[in-house]
Amino acid sequence: MGVMISGAGLFIQKDLKISDTKLKVLMGILNVGSFVAGRTSDWIGRRYTIVLASVIFFVGALLMGVAPNYAFLMVGRFVAGVGIGCALMIAPVYTAEVSPSSSRGFLTSFPEVFINAGILLGYVSNYAFSKLPLHLGWRLMLGVGGIPSVFLALGVLAMPESPRWLVLQGRLGDAKRVLDKTSDSKEEALLLLADIKEAVGIPKECDDDIVQVPKRSHREDVWKELLVHPTPTVKHILIAGIGIHFFQQTSGIDAVFLYSPKIFKKAGITNEEMLLLCMVAVGLVKTVFILVATFLLDRVGRRPLLLTSVAGMILSLASLGMFLTIIDQSKQKLYWALAMAITSVLAYAATFSIGMGPITWVYNSEIFPLRLRAQGTSMGVGVNRLMSGIISMTFLSFSKAITIGGVFFFFMGVAMVGWVFFYTLLPETQGKTLEEMQVLFGTFFRWRTTMRELEKNKSVTGTNGEVDQGNGNGQIQMGTANN
């Protein structure tokens, strides 16, 4: 829905006769509703939160589809934003929590394939509905976006609840049955259940179907652990989780996709049909490369894909900034520069989609300890949506202030800082269980030493219990984040 309005925006401006300022607010209001998603998943479960998000999004799409004026359209987009916020926060968490570690990257990133397929269909519908009368076309473009949410809700209802959430509720019997179905082996299921019980504070010998969860595992101390008295492990995780979301948005993704029609128009394409076809090409490239990424995540690893992706984004942003500047300063139409600008947008879409796009959601959903996962993940998503809203609402003004080419040079600079951040602070999480990977965090820039110690310890002891960090008496208990 976020990018679907990028094509519809051309027709909304014409039909409702709104200014660029009102269009900026309309683009950004989607993100405001994302901040209400935080605690819902701990109250009603991961699965029902996704169903609730689908219902809310469907209502928002309907409201936009029948909007008689700008104010009504804003309300519908805000409601849709609440649904999107809930879904963005909990869908990766849910998928990560029901996936075996061997295929967690693939399964957690796979929803991105459907999201991008939906984006592609949205671009195609923009093109198809553009042939209809002006007042009807853009409303159908936005209204049909609610249809996939119906199928999502029905599909999720047929899936099991997160075993980690079930343990948090004391439902060990249900959690064991889900783990038996979703793990690679019975042995892995038992180990995972033991790790989850330890993280929650349930004694290992306790095998009752229903148990009383220790009070310390409840919500009242979660925010204190995250923000007031975080351990070094939690602090490192929080910096990594929020940082990856921050750099995903501030490296220009929403500027490119939400305002691609205006970028292409600035590049010299004035025909609306050609503008929409260019957007279809962007959607197609994005979908193909996100599909490639899902198959590489568990084979290549998170870090190599992420670093390669961001390097490619830096080069494509530099290229886009350069050719848009050449076009901006030329008094005649330069077809070669136009072709290169379009190629740069497609290259950016490809490089973003093969790493930065899916890995942000995978990584943030798998690094937080169980007790802190819903709130920690929601903080990352909150920063993501906040920066998305800021970029969406300021892009047009920013491009007028420093030129459209200058904006993309700015995004290139941010992406360069992001590459350094990822290289120095983000450990590899490929193949680690959600409970095990906690040992990788807490040493900040020295995480490589911790990883070598972990691998050495595992090869010697063959256990997944604890790892000596070489500090004499410091042992890191996995899956915990207690003070």
Side-chain angles (χ1 to χ4, degrees):
M1 181 63 74
V3 292
M4 202 174 284
I5 204 168
S6 62
L10 294 170
F11 306 101
I12 292 171
Q13 269 193 297
K14 276 187 183 180
D15 188 30
L16 300 183
K17 297 178 175 58
I18 61 174
S19 63
D20 277 354
T21 301
K22 286 189 173 181
L23 181 64
K24 287 188 294 184
V25 175
L26 182 64
M27 293 289 190
I29 193 68
L30 183 78
N31 302 291
V32 177
S34 302
F35 293 99
V36 302
R39 300 170 74 174
T40 309
S41 66
D42 277 349
W43 283 337
I44 64 175
R46 319 305 200 210
R47 196 169 54 128
Y48 286 117
T49 300
I50 298 174
V51 174
L52 177 64
S54 301
V55 172
I56 295 172
F57 180 80
F58 182 76
V59 172
L62 282 182
L63 290 174
M64 285 191 287
V66 300
N69 52 47
Y70 177 75
F72 202 96
L73 182 61
M74 286 281 288
V75 172
R77 189 152 168 83
F78 175 82
V79 172
V82 175
I84 288 177
C86 290
L88 285 176
M89 191 277 279
I90 203 59
V93 172
Y94 170 75
T95 312
E97 289 186 346
V98 298
S99 305
S101 58
S102 61
S103 56
R104 188 175 59 246
F106 171 79
L107 293 172
T108 307
S109 61
F110 201 68
E112 283 283 305
V113 175
F114 293 101
I115 290 170
N116 282 275
I119 289 170
L120 174 58
L121 291 174
Y123 285 145
V124 172
S125 74
N126 285 345
Y127 178 75
F129 292 138
S130 67
K131 313 292 184 183
L132 297 174
L134 182 62
H135 71 282
L136 183 62
W138 67 264
R139 289 181 171 86
L140 283 174
M141 291 177 195
L142 300 179
V144 297
I147 295 175
S149 64
V150 177
F151 296 101
L152 173 63
L154 294 174
V156 169
L157 283 173
M159 298 169 68
E161 182 53 86
S162 159
R164 290 165 174 85
W165 182 81
L166 290 170
V167 172
L168 277 175
Q169 308 309 305
R171 296 163 56 182
L172 292 187
D174 291 337
K176 186 177 185 305
R177 282 187 283 275
V178 173
L179 285 170
D180 285 342
K181 292 177 182 177
T182 58
S183 301
D184 290 327
S185 66
K186 295 287 185 182
E187 292 75 17
E188 184 189 43
L190 289 172
L191 285 171
L192 284 173
L193 183 60
D195 284 342
I196 298 169
K197 284 161 63 178
E198 181 184 352
V200 173
I202 298 172
K204 287 186 178 181
E205 63 275 8
C206 183
D207 288 321
D208 296 337
D209 280 358
I210 305 291
V211 301
Q212 185 70 34
V213 178
K215 186 178 180 182
R216 71 176 183 84
S217 297
H218 289 301
R219 189 177 297 107
E220 54 264 22
D221 294 328
V222 166
W223 290 113
K224 196 177 292 183
E225 280 191 55
L226 276 172
L227 301 175
V228 182
H229 302 297
T231 61
T233 298
V234 172
K235 195 179 295 183
H236 188 181
I237 289 171
L238 203 56
I239 291 171
I242 289 177
I244 195 170
H245 274 293
F246 174 84
F247 285 110
Q248 187 201 56
Q249 287 301 322
T250 53
S251 56
I253 179 63
D254 274 0
V256 172
F257 293 128
L258 283 177
Y259 292 103
S260 53
K262 289 190 175 289
I263 295 170
F264 289 135
K265 189 176 286 189
K266 190 71 176 177
I269 300 176
T270 54
N271 183 278
E272 282 183 354
E273 189 170 327
M274 282 301 298
L275 281 174
L276 294 172
L277 283 174
C278 284
M279 290 168 63
V280 170
V282 170
L284 182 61
V285 168
K286 203 167 180 292
T287 304
V288 168
F289 279 87
I290 205 87
L291 185 60
V292 172
T294 61
F295 289 99
L296 292 178
L297 268 170
D298 289 312
R299 298 180 183 181
V300 177
R302 282 50 157 167
R303 277 176 56 83
L305 274 183
L306 181 62
L307 294 173
T308 303
S309 168
V310 178
M313 289 166 60
I314 291 168
L315 293 175
S316 55
L317 285 167
S319 174
L320 181 58
M322 180 176 67
F323 290 112
L324 286 176
T325 300
I326 291 171
I327 291 167
D328 208 24
Q329 294 180 351
S330 175
K331 294 182 180 178
Q332 57 184 7
K333 199 164 187 176
L334 302 175
Y335 290 101
W336 64 271
L338 168 61
M340 292 306 296
I342 294 171
T343 302
S344 299
V345 172
L346 295 176
Y348 179 86
T351 52
F352 175 87
S353 299
I354 205 166
M356 188 66 150
I359 289 173
T360 297
W361 303 100
V362 173
Y363 203 88
N364 191 55
S365 68
E366 65 186 2
I367 60 177
F368 283 95
L370 175 61
R371 290 185 60 230
L372 312 180
R373 188 165 297 140
Q375 285 82 0
T377 304
S378 71
M379 286 180 66
V381 175
V383 169
N384 186 292
R385 296 297 85 200
L386 174 64
M387 300 316 301
S388 174
I390 291 172
I391 297 296
S392 302
M393 290 185 175
T394 59
F395 175 75
L396 293 178
S397 301
F398 200 21
S399 63
K400 287 176 183 175
I402 65 170
T403 74
I404 192 165
V407 171
F408 291 106
F409 285 128
F410 171 80
F411 290 144
M412 177 197 71
V414 174
M416 291 171 72
V417 176
W419 192 94
V420 175
F421 175 86
F422 301 144
Y423 181 80
T424 55
L425 276 172
L426 269 62
E428 178 60 70
T429 57
Q430 177 196 17
K432 304 288 187 295
T433 68
L434 296 183
E435 286 66 39
E436 179 188 10
M437 70 176 63
Q438 306 310 310
V439 301
L440 298 176
F441 291 87
T443 52
F444 297 93
F445 301 104
R446 300 191 303 276
W447 62 265
R448 291 173 180 81
T449 303
T450 307
M451 179 172 278
R452 284 193 293 269
E453 293 278 354
L454 173 63
E455 295 302 326
K456 180 180 177 182
N457 184 275
K458 285 176 69 175
S459 64
V460 172
T461 66
T463 67
N464 288 322
E466 49 189 32
V467 58
D468 189 345
Q469 221 183 350
N471 57 7
N473 57 8
Q475 289 183 324
I476 303 173
Q477 295 293 331
M478 295 190 312
T480 63
N482 301 323
N483 293 324

